[in-house]
Amino acid sequence: MKISIITVCRNSEKSIAETFESVLNQTSDDFEYIVIDGKSNDKTVEIIQRYSEKFREGGIGFRYITEVDAGIYDAMNKGIDLAEGEYLNFLNSDDRFYDENVLANVSKKLSGTDADILCGAASLQFENGENYIQIPHNVEKQLYGRMPFIHQSTFVKRKLMVENKFDLRYTLSADYDFFFKMLLGHKKFSIIDCILVTYSMDGASNKNKLLGRKEYKLIKKENMRKYNTSRKEKFICGYESLYYAIRYRISNCAVLKTLYIKIKGL
């Protein structure tokens, strides 16, 4: 089962080699690798060209383009257009696969399921050196409120992505828009019980949470109307949205955060 791994980047000379190494070191070779560069003006393209030879020597299909784009989601849409695999995965240029067996484990899981979307755990790395393992569960319910998994830890049927490309109106949350549409369209989500990626929490969506929340609100409003959702779905969406709004406020208030941690520990 061929998988397409897509990395979008721009001026990523400090981190992209680690991303490449994590892909190059996979024990499975039943995948292709596509890199979409946004016309970098540092040494990123030089690094891409150097690694392209290594991938080809390893018998792995490797393609890249370097041209100006209209932002990260435009670059990701270009990757979708080029992909030939049955399932797609987006691995950003400051992220990496958790270990060398990720694609082997994913291929094995996908061969035994009819899932439209496969999601796994992610190791979240913070700027202060701390890390946290995010394990997805109850994803269909939690998606009504927020992203219950990291996008990089998902493998999605190419057909769905071709038919539902990322909406460029959204600067930070076009991936949530896609997964919310899949939820309302009753696509099948499945979970793999292993850590798939090491994810950097230094990305744009983690630095501008207010804009992200505004986009989430618009995404829910537009899609709930478009998909003619039931009263039950609207109730769940309202409940989950309120729950995560309260958690957001707690996390941004030191006093409430301390109180929450104390109560949770009782």
Side-chain angles (χ1 to χ4, degrees):
M1 179 181 294
K2 190 175 182 180
I3 294 171
S4 296
I5 309 300
I6 302 168
T7 293
V8 300
C9 60
R10 187 175 187 278
N11 294 339
S12 303
E13 64 178 7
K14 294 181 179 179
S15 61
I16 199 166
E18 281 191 67
T19 304
F20 288 165
E21 287 291 337
S22 79
V23 179
L24 191 61
N25 292 332
Q26 291 298 303
T27 56
S28 169
D29 60 2
D30 189 19
F31 68 94
E32 65 171 356
Y33 195 27
I34 298 167
V35 180
I36 310 295
D37 175 71
K39 204 67 175 176
S40 293
N41 53 31
D42 62 0
K43 295 182 179 179
T44 299
V45 175
E46 182 182 319
I47 297 170
I48 294 171
Q49 292 172 338
R50 187 169 72 244
Y51 271 91
S52 69
E53 295 303 316
K54 294 185 179 182
F55 280 101
R56 286 166 184 149
E57 287 171 5
I60 298 167
F62 183 94
R63 287 176 287 163
Y64 78 92
I65 61 173
T66 176
E67 61 186 29
V68 175
D69 55 54
I72 186 170
Y73 292 115
D74 181 40
M76 291 164 78
N77 283 340
K78 292 179 181 182
I80 294 170
D81 287 336
L82 290 175
E84 297 177 352
E86 187 176 347
Y87 284 83
L88 309 188
N89 168 264
F90 287 93
L91 188 69
N92 285 350
S93 58
D94 52 357
D95 306 317
R96 58 190 183 274
F97 286 131
Y98 188 71
D99 60 35
E100 69 275 12
N101 296 313
V102 167
L103 293 183
N105 290 333
V106 167
S107 294
K108 183 178 179 180
K109 178 73 174 181
L110 289 175
S111 65
T113 180
D114 60 348
D116 295 305
I117 299 161
L118 180 69
C119 48
S123 174
L124 312 185
Q125 286 202 331
F126 295 85
E127 291 180 278
N128 61 7
E130 293 182 359
N131 73 294
Y132 170 79
I133 305 299
Q134 184 191 53
I135 303 173
H137 64 282
N138 243 352
V139 294
E140 287 94 340
K141 179 171 179 283
Q142 292 188 25
L143 258 173
Y144 283 104
R146 53 133 195 170
M147 281 273 281
F149 44 72
I150 298 301
H151 186 189
Q152 287 81 346
S153 67
T154 63
F155 289 76
V156 183
K157 280 187 176 177
R158 180 172 63 89
K159 182 176 183 291
L160 293 177
M161 303 222 72
V162 169
E163 294 172 350
N164 301 273
K165 288 184 182 176
F166 296 110
D167 190 332
L168 302 188
R169 291 179 301 159
Y170 302 115
T171 306
L172 301 175
S173 309
D175 49 351
Y176 177 70
D177 176 61
F178 170 80
F179 288 113
F180 194 60
K181 287 174 180 173
M182 297 303 100
L183 172 71
L184 298 182
H186 305 292
K187 302 305 178 184
K188 184 175 180 180
F189 290 79
S190 183
I191 295 175
I192 182 171
D193 187 23
C194 62
I195 304 172
L196 301 183
V197 296
T198 298
Y199 172 77
S200 171
M201 294 296 287
D202 196 31
S205 60
N206 295 303
K207 291 183 175 180
N208 198 342
K209 293 185 182 259
L210 182 59
L211 175 58
R213 290 183 65 213
K214 287 181 178 178
E215 290 186 350
Y216 268 41
K217 187 175 181 180
L218 180 59
I219 287 166
K220 292 171 186 176
K221 181 179 179 180
E222 288 196 355
N223 285 303
M224 294 287 275
R225 186 190 305 120
K226 177 181 176 181
Y227 283 84
N228 194 25
T229 50
S230 65
R231 287 186 178 181
K232 180 181 179 180
E233 287 176 310
K234 290 176 182 176
F235 174 80
I236 295 172
C237 186
Y239 173 83
E240 291 294 318
S241 298
L242 178 61
Y243 173 74
Y244 287 109
I246 293 172
R247 282 190 59 176
Y248 173 80
R249 290 184 179 277
I250 290 174
S251 67
N252 283 276
C253 176
V255 175
L256 290 175
K257 188 174 182 179
T258 302
L259 180 61
Y260 173 76
I261 292 172
K262 286 183 178 179
I263 294 173
K264 193 175 180 181
L266 293 177

